[in-house]
Amino acid sequence: MDRRQKKTRKAVFEAFTSLLEVKSYSNISVQEIIDAANIGRSTFYAHFETKDELLRAMCTEIFEHVFSDDLHEESTHDFSSRKKDIVGEITHILYHLNDSRPYIKSILSCESGEMFMRYFKEYLVQLFSGELVKHNSDVPREYMLNHMVCDFAETVRWWMKHEQYSAEDVSRFFFASTPF
Amino acid sequence: MDRRQKKTRKAVFEAFTSLLEVKSYSNISVQEIIDAANIGRSTFYAHFETKDELLRAMCTEIFEHVFSDDLHEESTHDFSSRKKDIVGEITHILYHLNDSRPYIKSILSCESGEMFMRYFKEYLVQLFSGELVKHNSDVPREYMLNHMVCDFAETVRWWMKHEQYSAEDVSRFFFASTPF
DNA sequence: GTCATAACCGTACAATGTGTTTCTTATGGA
DNA sequence: TCCATAAGAAACACATTGTACGGTTATGAC
């Protein structure tokens, strides 16, 4: 990727996060982002079709880090001990989420948070559906999956607002309140 | 309230829900609602300041039914047996939610759903905070409260998409997967 | 039934935002 | 150095919003 493109992209992301700290997503106009990023109007539209797509791009970048390859490899390499080690995997993800905390916090602060949550849950469905082989037959499997996904996603949203807790703390809270 | 006002309000609500079944919240313009409701532009703005406020008004109307007085009185009158009867209370609420199902479903079908969820959770916080007197001290009380509220709200959202289950079913699912 | 009130309608308006286009300038990579 | 390509600036048509205003019709109290 061209250096110029990278630079523009970075400027837009930073402008956007700064604005999100000050005002809500729907009250931010594309023009404001452009001004804050100090770029030309046509340049913005060369990179992102809409404001929504900009947000999606930011979320994607975050999640690529949070659910990064080293995590996958790690969990697939020692596959033997994996099944039991969902706790470790969750804690690991929490660590990664903590790295992106400033970005995530600004996104979560308003309506854009709901989009973040939606994308986040897409990843979590994949993560948890493997864990549901032995599910309680009293309750539909699809209910349980939705339950776990929402549960974890909301746990993360809560954590972002409560900095005083560590990844281990939150992992413990999560497993203490969900029937694994 | 004037008959004309009631009529207008009803027309707007119905137009709005019909539109929500066809397209997403943010893609619906005020003008479309006005046309669908077959009213004058200024009439709309005499009733609602913005589209968001219209949604809020609809949600309020729904929740006034769902968390209606007969429910409150019932639960406060026989206070002795109440503590144990959170199950009954939840089931009762689910019944009321089922009455408003068509409206709720259309609202939940897009971004407006997130606003619905937010308002819904405000009510649930009140409902559940009373239930948390005896909470597990391993986990912060505020975490548990958020957990229960989100859990129930998401259960309802899930239910709205899965008509095949009864209120009793869903109540059972909820209590089976949450540590009460 | 009369009549004042208030809710309605329709149109026009300025203001704001969006996404596209065209053309010129600057910059990175071969 | 060269040139493809990204960035920038300005103007465009278009859609949407919220307000204003004057005229019309229905309601409910008497």
Side-chain angles (χ1 to χ4, degrees):
Chain A
M1 193 187 231
D2 199 307
R3 261 191 261 164
R4 289 170 292 181
Q5 286 185 64
K6 270 190 198 162
K7 197 179 133 205
T8 300
R9 205 177 156 86
K10 187 158 170 270
V12 171
F13 281 175
E14 280 170 3
F16 189 45
T17 27
S18 315
L19 284 168
L20 277 172
E21 281 159 18
V22 177
K23 56 200 297 189
S24 79
Y25 180 73
S26 57
N27 287 327
I28 297 172
S29 69
V30 173
Q31 192 58 53
E32 280 177 296
I33 300 170
I34 286 164
D35 293 342
N38 201 27
I39 60 168
R41 186 168 185 69
S42 41
T43 306
F44 177 89
Y45 282 106
H47 281 257
F48 309 99
E49 287 196 356
T50 64
K51 197 174 62 172
D52 279 16
E53 228 213 40
L54 161 60
L55 177 60
R56 159 144 260 168
M58 273 195 63
C59 290
T60 302
E61 213 147 277
I62 291 171
F63 292 135
E64 264 165 19
H65 169 245
V66 169
F67 299 93
S68 60
D69 281 340
D70 66 324
L71 187 67
H72 277 178
E73 279 170 27
E74 179 188 313
S75 60
T76 46
H77 275 185
D78 55 342
F79 197 82
S80 52
S81 69
R82 182 179 171 261
K83 277 273 165 60
K84 281 259 166 57
D85 205 24
I86 179 73
V87 181
E89 204 166 346
I90 287 289
T91 313
H92 194 160
I93 289 171
L94 289 172
Y95 266 100
H96 282 223
L97 284 163
N98 206 24
D99 297 337
S100 308
R101 186 186 277 266
Y103 294 99
I104 298 177
K105 275 189 75 169
S106 64
I107 295 174
L108 280 178
S109 68
C110 52
E111 320 90 84
S112 47
E114 314 302 344
M115 305 200 204
F116 176 91
M117 293 289 278
R118 200 153 44 232
Y119 304 148
F120 190 27
K121 287 178 186 173
E122 287 171 16
Y123 285 85
L124 294 178
V125 164
Q126 293 189 300
L127 180 67
F128 284 124
S129 53
E131 291 300 320
L132 264 178
V133 235
K134 31 99 193 177
H135 84 283
N136 183 349
S137 57
D138 281 0
V139 173
R141 184 196 158 86
E142 46 184 353
Y143 177 87
M144 269 322 281
L145 182 57
N146 181 67
H147 171 77
M148 287 162 63
V149 165
C150 293
D151 200 354
F152 186 65
E154 293 292 350
T155 293
V156 169
R157 171 146 71 178
W158 180 87
W159 185 34
M160 290 293 128
K161 286 193 296 216
H162 297 79
E163 312 227 7
Q164 67 263 42
Y165 300 104
S166 71
E168 281 85 2
D169 286 337
V170 173
S171 178
R172 192 164 44 80
F173 300 164
F174 175 66
F175 286 104
S177 60
T178 213
F180 255 96
Chain B
M1 192 187 232
D2 198 308
R3 258 190 267 164
R4 289 170 292 179
Q5 287 187 65
K6 270 191 199 161
K7 198 177 133 204
T8 299
R9 205 176 157 86
K10 187 158 171 267
V12 171
F13 282 174
E14 280 172 1
F16 189 44
T17 27
S18 315
L19 284 169
L20 278 173
E21 282 160 19
V22 177
K23 56 201 298 190
S24 78
Y25 180 72
S26 57
N27 287 325
I28 297 172
S29 69
V30 174
Q31 192 58 54
E32 281 178 297
I33 301 170
I34 286 164
D35 292 342
N38 201 27
I39 59 169
R41 184 166 184 71
S42 39
T43 305
F44 177 90
Y45 282 105
H47 280 257
F48 309 100
E49 285 196 357
T50 65
K51 197 174 64 172
D52 278 16
E53 227 214 41
L54 161 60
L55 177 59
R56 159 143 261 168
M58 270 195 66
C59 289
T60 302
E61 211 147 278
I62 291 171
F63 292 134
E64 265 166 17
H65 169 246
V66 170
F67 299 92
S68 58
D69 280 340
D70 65 323
L71 188 65
H72 276 179
E73 280 171 27
E74 179 188 314
S75 59
T76 46
H77 275 187
D78 55 341
F79 196 83
S80 52
S81 69
R82 183 179 171 258
K83 278 271 166 61
K84 280 261 169 53
D85 206 23
I86 180 72
V87 181
E89 206 166 346
I90 287 288
T91 312
H92 193 159
I93 289 171
L94 288 172
Y95 266 100
H96 282 222
L97 284 163
N98 205 25
D99 297 339
S100 309
R101 185 185 276 265
Y103 294 99
I104 298 177
K105 276 190 75 170
S106 64
I107 294 174
L108 280 177
S109 68
C110 54
E111 322 89 85
S112 47
E114 314 301 343
M115 306 202 202
F116 176 91
M117 292 290 278
R118 199 152 46 232
Y119 304 147
F120 189 27
K121 286 178 187 174
E122 286 171 16
Y123 285 86
L124 293 177
V125 164
Q126 293 189 298
L127 180 67
F128 284 124
S129 53
E131 291 299 320
L132 264 179
V133 236
K134 30 96 190 179
H135 85 282
N136 183 349
S137 57
D138 282 359
V139 173
R141 184 197 158 86
E142 46 184 353
Y143 178 87
M144 269 321 280
L145 181 57
N146 182 67
H147 171 78
M148 286 162 64
V149 164
C150 292
D151 201 353
F152 186 65
E154 293 292 351
T155 292
V156 169
R157 172 144 72 177
W158 180 87
W159 185 33
M160 290 294 128
K161 285 193 296 218
H162 297 80
E163 312 227 9
Q164 66 264 40
Y165 300 104
S166 70
E168 280 85 3
D169 286 337
V170 174
S171 179
R172 191 162 47 79
F173 300 164
F174 175 66
F175 286 104
S177 59
T178 214
F180 255 96

